[in-house]
Amino acid sequence: MTTGVAGPGVAEAGDAAVVAPSAAALAPAARRTRTLPAPLRALRPVALGLAALVLLALLWELVKAVVPEDGWSVGELRVLPRTTDLAMPHVTEMLARLGEPLTSQPGADPLWLAVLRAGGASLRIAAVSWVLGVVVGFALALLMTRFRVARSAVLPLVVLSQTVPLIALAPLVKGWGSKLELGFTWEPWMSVAVIASYLAFFPVAVGALRGLTSPDTLHRELFAGYAASWSQELVRLRLPASVPHLLPALRLAATSAVLGVVVAEVSTGMPGGIGRMILEFANFASSDPAKPWAPIFGAVLLGLVASGAVALLGTALRRFRRAEAAA
């Protein structure tokens, strides 16, 4: 009697168990049908970036239309800047100025071409400074990972190094570089690359250290149980585990290298780069207010290009990017 009563209940439970997996199996398929195709997913970040630029341009025009020309002040404190055509040119004027000649001389190159040439020179220096920063930062991270005493001694100095203003170091590095005797002539762009690498090494050192120390104790004990050497543990465990932390650090180092190059070019007075162009075009703020914004746009473009180029490294390391950590 008990068996007869329990039978239908078991059968019903069994039917439910049979139906439940089928519904769970259909759920991923339903999710896959709602996702975008691979090409559209790849273009989504680009579309979001363009939408952000359009939104920024609309916000610029909105501030120019709403805020009085003298700005808003609370007592003697200016809360919002002036919105005159000299202080805040229209977005259309700044874009139109890019297509006009650089100077009034006949046969002068258009402004956008001059900005691209200066940006290309700065980008090459930024690439060198990025490589220097990555090498130095990763070497420090390996040292701090291998020796706990080195971590206690070096990590505070790494953090403290970023409190020194870059503009104060630029003249010193330029002066030291001119006195070095290395068998070749020390060029001004080399000083700029060294100065920019000072900003680039910090995120790499911190991000790599965080990634190299991210493996669980269980995994490290497993390698120790197999009598693996530290180099084997580094190659097979720590380096793969550091990829989600290292990739954001590399992108941040790329943009920091561009920023360092721009600041170093201004501080050292090296001609030909986007930083020197920003300094020179600032003199035209009163006579040609849209012109000084052209090299600023070029500097923004340099940062985007540098970050995008480093992001391509993630495609080769896709199998290790399970959950990319924030920088």
Side-chain angles (χ1 to χ4, degrees):
M1 182 175 182
T2 305
T3 308
V5 175
V10 174
E12 292 176 359
D15 294 340
V18 172
V19 174
S22 61
L26 291 176
R31 288 195 296 266
R32 285 195 296 268
T33 57
R34 291 195 297 266
T35 57
L36 295 175
L40 294 180
R41 287 200 304 268
L43 293 177
R44 183 179 179 181
V46 179
L48 292 177
L50 294 177
L53 291 178
V54 173
L55 182 61
L56 181 60
L58 293 177
L59 181 62
W60 179 279
E61 294 296 335
L62 179 62
V63 171
K64 186 173 177 61
V66 173
V67 179
E69 290 189 353
D70 293 335
W72 282 347
S73 300
V74 178
E76 298 181 355
L77 177 63
R78 183 177 298 277
V79 179
L80 293 177
R82 296 183 177 89
T83 58
T84 60
D85 291 338
L86 291 178
M88 292 182 62
H90 289 283
V91 176
T92 54
E93 294 177 0
M94 291 185 287
L95 295 178
R97 185 63 182 88
L98 290 173
E100 298 177 1
L102 176 62
T103 61
S104 58
Q105 297 179 356
D109 294 330
L111 181 58
W112 66 267
L113 183 58
V115 171
L116 284 182
R117 288 175 178 172
S122 298
L123 186 61
R124 289 191 292 269
I125 301 176
V128 176
S129 64
W130 179 79
V131 172
L132 291 176
V134 170
V135 171
V136 174
F138 198 78
L140 290 176
L142 285 177
L143 179 65
M144 290 185 288
T145 303
R146 184 66 179 89
F147 303 103
R148 184 171 299 180
V149 176
R151 185 187 310 177
S152 302
V154 175
L155 186 57
L157 296 179
V158 171
V159 177
L160 185 63
S161 66
Q162 301 305 299
T163 63
V164 180
L166 189 66
I167 195 172
L169 292 177
L172 297 177
V173 175
K174 182 181 179 182
W176 293 339
S178 61
K179 298 177 182 179
L180 292 177
E181 296 181 0
L182 302 174
F184 57 88
T185 304
W186 185 267
E187 301 292 340
W189 69 266
M190 297 179 183
S191 299
V192 173
V194 172
I195 296 168
S197 65
Y198 180 78
L199 287 182
F201 92 95
F202 176 75
V204 178
V206 176
L209 175 62
R210 183 183 177 188
L212 291 173
T213 56
S214 63
D216 297 333
T217 305
L218 179 63
H219 297 159
R220 290 187 276 109
E221 290 179 350
L222 178 63
F223 272 76
Y226 281 105
S229 62
W230 191 85
S231 60
Q232 291 175 332
E233 180 182 337
L234 174 66
V235 174
R236 298 181 180 273
L237 177 62
R238 294 183 182 271
L239 285 179
S242 67
V243 171
H245 302 272
L246 188 58
L247 287 178
L250 292 178
R251 289 199 297 268
L252 183 59
T255 55
S256 299
V258 172
L259 176 61
V261 167
V262 173
V263 175
E265 288 175 347
V266 173
S267 303
T268 61
M270 192 191 78
I274 200 75
R276 184 65 180 179
M277 180 176 285
I278 292 176
L279 187 62
E280 292 176 351
F281 284 13
N283 299 324
F284 297 92
S286 58
S287 59
D288 192 357
K291 187 176 181 179
W293 290 94
I296 297 177
F297 292 158
V300 173
L301 181 61
L302 284 186
L304 294 176
V305 171
S307 179
V310 176
L312 294 178
L313 294 176
T315 58
L317 302 173
R318 186 175 301 173
R319 60 190 293 257
F320 301 111
R321 296 177 62 183
R322 297 182 180 89
E324 185 170 313

